[in-house]
Amino acid sequence: MNVLLAVPLVVPLLGAALTLLLRRLPTAQQIASSLVLLVVVADAAVLLAHTADGTVVVSQAGGWPAPLGITLVADPLAALLVLVSSVVLLIVLLYAIGQDIGGLSRATPQVFHPIYLVLTAGVCLSFVSGDLFNLFVGFEMMLTASYALITQAPTRSRVRASMIYTLVSLTSSILFLTGIALVYALTGTINLADIAGKLGAATPALRMVLALLFLVVFGIKAAIVPMHFWLPDSYPVALTRISAIFAALLTKVAVYAVIRTQTLLFARDDISTVLLWVAVATMIVGILGALVQDDVNRVASFALVSHIGFMIFGLALGTVAALAGVLLYLVHHIVAQASLFLVNGLIRQFVGHTSLRAIRGLTTVSPVLAALFFVPAMSLAGLPPTSGFVAKVALFQAGVALGTWQAYVGIAAGVLTSALTLIALFRIWTRAFWGTPLPDMVEAKQRLRNASNRGGLRMMTAMTAVMVTAGLVVALVAGPLSELGFTAAHDLVDGEAYIHAVLGEEAPTP
Amino acid sequence: MTAADWITAVLIPLGALFSLIGMIGLVRFPTLLGRMHAAAKPDTVGLILILLGTAFQLPGLGAALPLVLVALFQCVTIPVLAQTLGRVAYSRGQIDAERLVVDELADALPEAKARQSE
Amino acid sequence: MLLPYLIVSHAVVAVLVPWLVRAIGARAFLVASLPLAASAVWALTQSSDLLAGNEVTASVAWIPALGITLDFRLDALALTMVLLVSGVGTVIFCYGAAYFPARERALGRLVASMAVFAGAMLGVVTTDNLFALYVFWELTSVSSFLLIAHNDRKEHARRSAIQALIVTAGFGLLMLIGFVLLGHIGGTYRISALLAAPPVDSPWLPVALVLVLAGAFAKSAQAPLHFWLPAAMVAPTPVSAYLHAAAMVKGGVYLVARLAPGFADVDPWRALVLTAGLATMVIGGWRALRQDDLKLLLAYGTVSQLGFLTLLAGTGTHVAALATEGVLLAHGLFKSTLFLVVGIIDHKAGTRSISGLSGLWRRTPVLALASLAAAASMAGLPPLLGFVAKEAALAAYLPGHLGSLPRSAATLVLIGVVVASILTFAYSARFLWGAFADKETVAERRFPAPSAAFLAAPVVLSAAGLLLGVLPFLVDPIAQRYADAYTGASYHLELWHGLTPALGVSTLIVAAGVVMFIQRDRVARAQKALPRWPEAEAVYNLAIHGIFTVGLRVTRRAQSGSLPVYLGIILATMLALPGVRLLMAIIGQEVDYPQPSEGLRLWDNPLELVVALILIVTAVATVREHRRFPALILISAMGFGIAGLFVLHGAPDLALTVVLVETLATIILVFVLRRLPAVFPTRPDGWGKRLTALLCAAAGTFVAVSLWLMTHARTDAPVSRGFAERAEEAGGQNLVNMILADFRALDTFGEIVVLVTAAIAVASLVLLNRRDRVVEAPDADLDTTEEEAAPPGAPAAGAATASSTTQEASAAGSGSADTAPPDQESR
Amino acid sequence: MTILDYVYIATFVMLGLGALCALLRLVRGPSVLDRLVCLNALSVLLVSSIAVEAAVRADTAYVGLMVTVALIGFVATLTAARFAERRAHDRG
Amino acid sequence: MITTPSLLLIIAVAVLYSSGFYLLLQRSLMRVVLGIVILGHAANLSLMLTDHSITLPPLLDGPAGEISDPLPQALVLTAIVITFGVTTFLLALAYRVWLGDNTDEVPDDLEDRRIRRLREPEDSS
Amino acid sequence: MSQSHAEPGDPRSTSAVPADRSRLRRILTRLPTIVLLTTMWVILWGKPEPGTIVAGAIVATLCYWAAKLPHIPVRLSFRPLAALRLVAYIGYDLVASSVRVAIHSLWRPNRTSGAIVAEPLRTDSDFLLAMITGGLSLVTGSLVIELNREEGVVYMHGIPMNSPRSVEQLRRQIRRTEELFVRAFGTNHDLAEFQRRANGGSTN
């Protein structure tokens, strides 16, 4: 078994067990989970280095050849996503640790650390799994951990929100299972590469039914309109550390699954028109929702929904350039969205809530906070020179290069959405950050400044700054990143590399 | 057809018959307690007969030993269940008093109640 | 090439300057002006090289794969702009050091934004890559946004800022698409390469140009997108002088001027540019005439001049190009001078209203003189640069220099230019009169003499205008170099061309302007009498309001907050996408159905009937059951049914697991159930009962039919046939166990992890957080103290009013606020 | 087909009919206790069927299953019964 | 050659899914939980039905004959356990909802409800 | 020898004895349960291999420890002959009454009525009482509804009870079952007590 692929699963799970044992020693627990994530980051970096040239790294778990055993696969896309996710997970973990050190949260750290590591393992497994059912297991690991996390500090509103979250996720899981049954019924295998080969002989109509069904299954988790409603009702209510990770990663895992299945399994089936309209609807409906929200977190959540549309749009285009753009967008969005939610968490820490109706003049209260908000807001609005700009340009270029009317419809929607995102996010800025600070906010700031937990607050701010900087770094290294994106997109469009790597050279290809 | 087969051929349908009759009783008895009697016990007899019949078909004694275990469980669990259900039925008043010839518990109950609360 | 470093140095300054402001106050402006001064000096040193024909280029690779590289290229047009941006910028920065008091609020942000802006502007005018241009372009928009709302405590400032941002950045997005199209059509994103070999035969080219022009027009405040510029005058004067007179608004003009050599002859270009330019000129001039606020007067004047510039830049003839260069420089110099003058007046007199100023010329003759020179330049009087430039502009539309311009269009434009120039003369005079003249009706105000440092800036700029007017040959070579892109008769920027038609037209303009100024009361009355046009800003407001209203409507409809509805929509989507596809396939006979010979049969085994009946009956009965306990028992029975089915299908292990799990689930259900009410509430669930039933039946049928058809259409034998031989060599007997423990051990491992995680989750929900437990009392709500109450860390009143869950917050009341930890996240 | 096969078929028919009877009572109720009785009866019938199945296939794979179902079916029913009892006390 | 499961079982699957979905769309939490349980059964059953004929248990040392497909069985086993774990969590959550709100209902989101009540956008500057 | 009436799991029942002896005894008293569990394990596993036995013992111990089962000192004796009689009696009764109920359920369920009778028992060993009630409930046509532990009265529901004569028969059946159980499993002490009460005829 290739160790590189095993580490992101095994180490976090071992770490989870360890932190569970260490639950009476908070410091040891914190150090342990940080170390675990560091190891994962390092491993992911090595993995990415191995795959950067388009190589597909394969590990047959247990040593059984592909269609029999479970295959773990890392192509450039998966490797990159593992790396970005683990970095984001690490930063958010440190943020949370800072918060715990300062005693600023009511989370239960004893439970938080092990579950968080399980989530890590689930996310990584979902990325590298090369087997449909194993993907389901990875999803379930991730989701179960997320259920546990979203109910941290279970106030009434949180319990309600997690009810919505859990039930929708469960519905998706059930449909996923149904989809697996149908795939197995049709092909008699559940290895992704094997399915890809065997679906070629299947009735096209049935194949397309499956393609659409899997779009629905993952679309629920990716919050694609019209299956997005749950997201703005659940994410904003969770603890910051958790909503940040959810917003950054969970939807992206689902988007990844959509990409993987639609490119590898159903590449022959043209559901691009469906994808396109879904993408357009997602962009527009999401951002219209963001405009009328009154809570910073809810605005961010609706914006999140809206921007999933961009990735689906790229997938709908389906060309190498478009998929490269999607990859850029994925990376950009993971980091930017996490930054935004962390900043929102800081706002909550400063003023006690995130409702726009009672926040004014945050620039005066904390200029640092203002700067930290401004950068991800720019990035999400697609203003240069941020990563959001780069990603959007890549998608627009791909659309123009394709030149079909559908592509132009998507581009038009993208432009409109970008403009509306700008309005939605800078509305927060003008309302919350400018103006005369409310007297109680000034007091709150004084209190925070004098409190004994400044160290924790500093660490939280520092980690938010690190995340924001990470966003800038993404923009800075956009050059190599887009090269990588093109390599990954080639692998995705081609599919042969993946299938051959998993099943061996003699495998039939679509 | 060996002797074992013949034994099986007698025992298994007999057991099934018992079970069936019990189930018919479950449907037909008008009172709750009556249904309980009908459901719980012919079933047990039927099960034991079937198990016995099966034992003759299995390859060896070792394989049949667990069947004894099943029967044993059944004999232990059925009374417990019946007793619990009976008690509940009575305490919930789901007893058709008209169909009772004698009810000595009803006479004893007030004092039983009083004792319980002590 | 030094330029990238110069641009970066601006960014560095921007990062450092907030700390510097804390130490030395407004004098930080002087430090911030250093990179600008360096740029100016550098540009001057390059000019001789440039005039010799050596263009300076540099390139920084950023994202070559997407064609986004930071190419820089200094040519004549860029040089003009660099000189303008850095030269005027340096002066204005120095002015800023004197303008702002030391304790000015948010001064650090202001200086930093200005530095960023200056750097970005340098980038805009020197870059040779469309995307890099966009990058710098939007950076100027963003810094302008921050600068306009310098006084962010005023509602008006905030509104103006966001308005400017939405207009410029919003249309900037269109421009970006235009760039992408242009680059795609032309095969390169390098501007110089595009201009050298402009694409011609693509149907998308006009679209691309329209989009690019839209962005440029928004940036340069062309009608009808001009309204943001006057509103932006809420910014401090140095900002207005720099961004909204000298530099940023020139960005659009620059882009037009930059692209015109390649695309002026492509179809909608001229029509658009000329129409927009003319309209803007006239509207701006007309509006300027009726302003009372000097700064607004200048703002509308700027709008008018920007129209003029766009017109010239977009015309695409040799002489027009020369005139463009001239007007660019002249306008940058005189308009910033005038703004600075207004700033000084505002600062010292406390007002900038014409109706509040009188006799200032006597108080500060130097200032009046500088203003006079600048205003004269604006009005187009010799011997100033404004005159030189305007002569060239008039010549461009007079016969003889038309180039590829159609004669009729030229005539039309000429008339427009003349009208606008008359207006310009009139408002220039009005400015001078309004700011400095004695007025009987107005009392003189106190006016402390401004310091020399304060005065220096306008004087320097105005003197530069005079100097270049007298010595036009300083400008001419550069202008010629830019105009070389067009063929045309030779023409030079000069004070005296002889008695040309242009001079005659100029004389006419001056005469008419004088009349108009003298008759200013009549003009004012006429303006009042005319019906007001619909304001472009009203349209903007309507549009924004419309967007928000649509947003609200859509969100109100869609985001119902009700889980059953959400899940229903998910099911409906499943029916609408794969479901409809399957239906189409069935109708279109795209799928095979199993035939009796292939196993189409009702059942395999009569016992299946029993089991299926158990499943169906219990399922339907569960749906119809409204009491919790019977429903639970039905579910349990269903579990046994499933187990029975598994036994029938040769899966004893599965049956075992089902029974175990089912029992455990039942036990847990019992424990939870006994807390809950005995009867399920049967409130209407938002969807009609029948509709729901129909939807669910359809969804269930869809799944089952898919399963049926797909098992029939299986393409290959299942891979699991391979397990048997492998299992033998591995020594196992029970294949299911082998798969679980060996072949797919990872799944089993994951399953255990899920189980443990769920257990921890359940434990932390039910066992931990005991203090959140509520006593089973009717008034339990009042006891949920720390739940939704205002956290102690936050002000109770503020959080309570702010809380979106107001009802609960108020219900929670004071609670145990004193015992809860300092948790800010309790909401 | 040997006699034994006919016997098995007859057995299955009887057991199936029995299950249907139980199902009828399960749906009809009327009381919770009736349903519990049915639940237990069903589990016993399941064990019986498994036993017959084991006899048909002369297979020991089913034996463990039988033991478990016998034990577990009882546990489920008992828990539910206890619950019903508790409610009865609450009401009383 | 048999290529499809028997119709009766397909109908059973349809009924299970339909009733599961129906319960899922209810407001009462307990009914929703029951719906999830039924849906879990339904999904497992569909997985099982991918092996379309009644055969022997997948044991190598068992009686000779065609054995049933072991892979769906293994998958169902895993799925059952996972579904069980998650259902348990759901129950705990329902219990918490009941503790907090004293109701057995899936509550509506408050902020959504507030926005639904708005007639005009709150600010459109 | 005084009979301990401690409730199951009551620690007092062992606390009087010296420490080390009590530990030994505690282990010894738990041994039967563990042996029983191990046996079940081995039966389920199929073949009595040493590994299986060891594993079974470990699992049983773990289960025992995890479930924290109360350990009750088993005070029973076993008389094989009497036990055989008991089994035969119960077996016969089971079948006979099953047939009886079957007949009733087939032909005249609506005319079948029941009776609840109270019958004082003549033993008060916990184990014996549990076994007796279990045995009674097992047999078709009778069902223990309530057991009054203090007075040793058992309340039975019997079916079919169409005449006072059958009620008396039911009482007889209860007494007979009790006697057989006591004879099969009761200690000498229990037996003596039973006979004393039976002869004394006092129902307490």
Side-chain angles (χ1 to χ4, degrees), chain A residues 169-350:
Chain A
S169 303
L170 262 175
T171 311
S172 153
S173 300
I174 296 277
L175 292 182
F176 193 176
L177 210 51
T178 310
I180 292 174
L182 294 182
V183 165
Y184 191 78
L186 194 56
T187 62
T189 178
I190 46 172
N191 182 294
L192 285 178
D194 205 18
I195 299 171
K198 287 179 177 167
L199 270 179
T203 321
L206 292 181
R207 217 168 49 205
M208 205 154 150
V209 169
L210 278 182
L212 290 167
L213 181 66
F214 274 98
L215 178 65
V216 170
V217 166
F218 298 126
I220 297 173
K221 287 309 300 159
I224 294 174
V225 170
M227 300 173 287
H228 69 288
F229 303 109
W230 57 274
L231 191 146
D233 285 353
S234 55
Y235 282 10
V237 190
L239 293 174
T240 299
R241 52 181 81 173
I242 287 148
S243 49
I245 277 304
F246 282 17
L249 292 186
L250 298 203
T251 44
K252 305 309 177 304
V253 175
V255 170
Y256 165 82
V258 174
I259 295 172
R260 179 62 79 209
T261 48
Q262 299 297 338
T263 56
L264 183 63
L265 304 188
F266 306 114
R268 302 173 204 78
D269 302 290
D270 188 24
I271 64 163
S272 60
T273 314
V274 173
L275 281 174
L276 178 92
W277 289 116
V278 165
V280 168
T282 307
M283 289 187 208
I284 305 280
V285 172
I287 202 62
L288 284 179
L291 282 176
V292 295
Q293 299 305 315
D294 227 1
D295 181 287
V296 182
N297 267 336
R298 284 179 66 95
V299 175
S301 303
F302 273 100
L304 162 65
V305 170
S306 153
H307 286 239
I308 296 293
F310 279 95
M311 298 169 224
I312 303 301
F313 167 57
L315 181 62
L317 296 178
T319 60
V320 171
L323 289 172
V326 172
L327 182 131
L328 282 173
Y329 213 102
L330 272 169
V331 175
H332 142 69
H333 203 240
I334 289 176
V335 178
Q337 202 72 42
S339 317
L340 197 60
F341 270 92
L342 289 188
V343 174
N344 292 351
L346 284 181
I347 294 178
R348 204 185 260 185
Q349 207 78 65
F350 271 74

Side-chain angles (χ1 to χ4, degrees), chain A residues 464-488:
Chain A
T464 314
V466 168
M467 189 71 93
V468 170
T469 317
L472 293 176
V473 169
V474 170
L476 205 64
V477 300
L481 199 60
S482 54
E483 303 275 356
L484 185 69
F486 275 95
T487 316

Side-chain angles (χ1 to χ4, degrees), chain A residues 204-210 212-213, chain C residues 572-593 697-699 701-707 709-710:
Chain A
L206 292 181
R207 217 168 49 205
M208 205 154 150
V209 169
L210 278 182
L212 290 167
L213 181 66
Chain C
T573 313
M574 188 178 82
L575 282 176
L577 295 178
V580 165
R581 185 67 189 81
L582 186 69
L583 199 64
M584 277 162 55
I586 290 171
I587 292 171
Q589 302 197 320
E590 296 173 55
V591 286
D592 291 335
Y593 302 100
T701 315
F702 158 67
V703 173
V705 170
S706 313
L707 183 67
L709 293 176
M710 285 189 192

Side-chain angles (χ1 to χ4, degrees), chain E residues 72-107:
Chain E
Q73 296 190 17
L75 302 187
V76 170
L77 255 167
T78 310
I80 289 174
V81 176
I82 288 179
T83 319
F84 165 69
V86 177
T87 312
T88 314
F89 171 78
L90 193 61
L91 274 169
L93 202 56
Y95 173 67
R96 271 313 277 243
V97 169
W98 185 84
L99 273 191
D101 294 356
N102 233 330
T103 147
D104 166 51
E105 292 203 355
V106 188

Side-chain angles (χ1 to χ4, degrees), chain A residues 399-460:
Chain A
V400 166
L402 194 64
T404 57
W405 66 267
Q406 288 102 331
Y408 283 109
V409 167
I411 291 175
V415 168
L416 185 61
T417 307
S418 300
L420 295 183
T421 310
L422 182 83
I423 297 179
L425 289 177
F426 281 81
R427 182 173 152 265
I428 298 182
W429 175 266
T430 48
R431 281 188 63 165
F433 284 85
W434 279 345
T436 316
L438 301 174
D440 48 57
M441 286 171 54
V442 182
E443 279 170 34
K445 188 199 175 182
Q446 282 304 325
R447 216 177 7 253
L448 271 180
R449 181 166 286 172
N450 299 333
S452 54
N453 45 28
R454 277 174 68 194
L457 198 59
R458 283 224 184 99
M459 184 156 172
M460 288 166 69

